Amino acid sequence: MTKTPAGVMPMPDSSPLADSLAEVTGLDLHMHSTASDGALAPAELMALCRARGLTHLALTDHDTLEGVAEAEKAARELGLRLLPATELSSQWGGVNIHVVALLPEGAHGPLADGLAEQARARAARAEEIARRLEAIGLDDALAKARAQAGSERPLGRPDFARALVADGLVKDIGTAFKKYLGNGKRGDIKAHWPALETVVAWVVAAGGVAVLAHPLRYGMTRRKRGLLLDAFRGAGGEAVELVSGFQNPDQTRDLARQLIERDLAGSLGSDFHAPGGPLAPGSMSPVPRVAVTPVWHHPRLAGFAAA
Ligand code: AMP
Ligand code: MN
Ligand code: MN
Ligand code: MN
């Protein structure tokens, strides 16, 4: 760090990223803002990242790049490296799968059309979720979810979860997901999302790197996760989140083996949504020394990883 006058935050080091997943610092490639279901505006998020000493970031709002322009401006002013990115909703084997798209060239070609389609799918899904929640007693569910969102951004399941809590139908957000919105429950509607292979193809065509998000959070057996990794790799996916927020170290090592077997690179992210919880930008479980290639070694990300 360079010496700066008292009271002024020093600029972060502009050194290149470390050569291994275990040694890297200052990196978070999975975070949300108010452009989707995060609590901080993109510029506020960048300021928090800066205050926490992070240097290399990706803003990964659900199915949109709406927050990226504001984040890029803030990142420039703060001396941070930011990759345009988004977390795409898809489906595979009856499960809602998330793909983080790291997009050094931004969104163009089929991805641009795909994002417009994702917004329509999200709106149609919200109407369907609302109908199903009205059946269990949440009157005017769509309006209530919209009120919880507090803006015109596309609605997500967390908005419905908050509406259920506000109406006293469940005691907290966790229960809302467990009873009504989580995997396999009545408010978990996957039919609107494209196939995993489709969203991965969009990312590759846009000159990006497709990263399978939080593979340990789909409730799959190791065997099924292996099949998911095969399908993802077969579709052109190149990296997987080896660590997402906090996770069990034995599971991380086991996942690393599955990545090495398939020559998949590793990414890291907190999946930060809001201050006040256990997670913050850059917070995640330590990464064991494993022979997984860091995603920032990908030729398409060379400009991002450089000093
Ligand atoms: P959606 O993108 O609308 O399908 O909503 C998915 C989002 O809901 C995730 O990205 C999380 O932010 C949130 N979420 C999923 N499961 C839970 C849970 N069990 N508790 C709280 N939030 C959750
Ligand atoms: Mn989310
Ligand atoms: Mn996700
Ligand atoms: Mn996420």
Side-chain angles (χ1 to χ4, degrees):
M1 298 257 187
T2 42
K3 206 169 180 324
T4 47
V8 177
M9 289 283 272
M11 291 301 285
D13 290 332
S14 62
S15 50
L17 286 167
D19 258 343
S20 76
L21 286 158
E23 288 164 322
V24 77
T25 57
L27 175 93
D28 192 334
L29 299 180
H30 191 148
M31 296 181 289
H32 295 270
S33 77
T34 49
S36 66
D37 56 2
L40 301 180
E44 293 175 319
L45 176 64
M46 291 300 108
L48 178 56
C49 288
R50 173 69 186 74
R52 291 180 54 81
L54 301 183
T55 56
H56 289 73
L57 312 162
L59 177 63
T60 57
D61 278 307
H62 296 285
D63 302 301
T64 182
L65 277 93
E66 283 295 313
V68 167
E70 179 185 322
E72 271 179 338
K73 181 169 180 286
R76 234 183 346 264
E77 289 165 5
L78 294 163
L80 306 174
R81 291 252 170 196
L82 178 75
L83 265 178
T86 178
E87 183 177 15
L88 295 167
S89 306
S90 76
Q91 53 174 323
W92 177 84
V95 185
N96 181 193
I97 302 293
H98 287 176
V99 174
V100 164
L102 302 177
L103 301 164
E105 301 171 15
H108 58 80
L111 177 60
D113 298 336
L115 288 171
E117 189 50 46
Q118 294 290 83
R120 284 191 288 275
R122 197 168 266 282
R125 186 191 67 152
E127 289 181 19
E128 179 74 29
I129 294 174
R131 273 193 292 278
R132 295 194 184 188
L133 295 184
E134 279 165 7
I136 59 108
L138 185 69
D139 299 337
D140 298 321
L142 198 60
K144 284 174 180 162
R146 177 57 66 199
Q148 291 297 327
S151 79
E152 287 308 304
R153 66 160 172 76
L155 293 176
R157 280 181 282 168
D159 303 311
F160 288 97
R162 287 188 199 103
L164 286 166
V165 176
D167 257 33
L169 288 164
V170 290
K171 68 175 188 328
D172 55 29
I173 303 282
T175 310
F177 273 89
K178 209 163 159 181
K179 282 184 78 173
Y180 300 118
L181 294 159
N183 205 1
K185 303 298 179 210
R186 73 180 72 203
D188 170 41
I189 301 160
K190 294 167 281 280
H192 300 85
W193 301 129
L196 174 72
E197 292 80 359
T198 302
V199 306
V200 170
W202 293 344
V203 178
V204 174
V209 179
V211 182
L212 182 69
H214 44 65
L216 300 176
R217 260 192 271 151
Y218 300 121
M220 290 178 178
T221 60
R222 184 180 202 274
R223 190 183 126 69
K224 180 144 189 208
R225 188 163 59 246
L227 295 175
L228 169 63
L229 294 171
D230 291 340
F232 177 73
R233 176 90 159 68
E238 297 180 277
V240 176
E241 288 182 345
L242 178 62
V243 171
S244 170
F246 299 118
Q247 65 188 46
N248 176 304
D250 293 334
Q251 283 199 314
T252 305
R253 285 185 188 281
D254 189 41
L255 178 59
R257 275 190 290 275
Q258 290 189 300
L259 301 196
I260 292 163
E261 281 165 14
R262 293 168 178 81
D263 198 25
L264 286 157
S267 186
L268 304 172
S270 62
D271 204 0
F272 172 75
H273 281 75
L279 281 171
S283 68
M284 61 192 87
S285 297
V287 188
R289 287 183 191 284
V290 289
V292 179
T293 305
V295 69
W296 58 91
H297 283 188
H298 194 292
R300 287 178 164 183
L301 304 182
F304 170 70

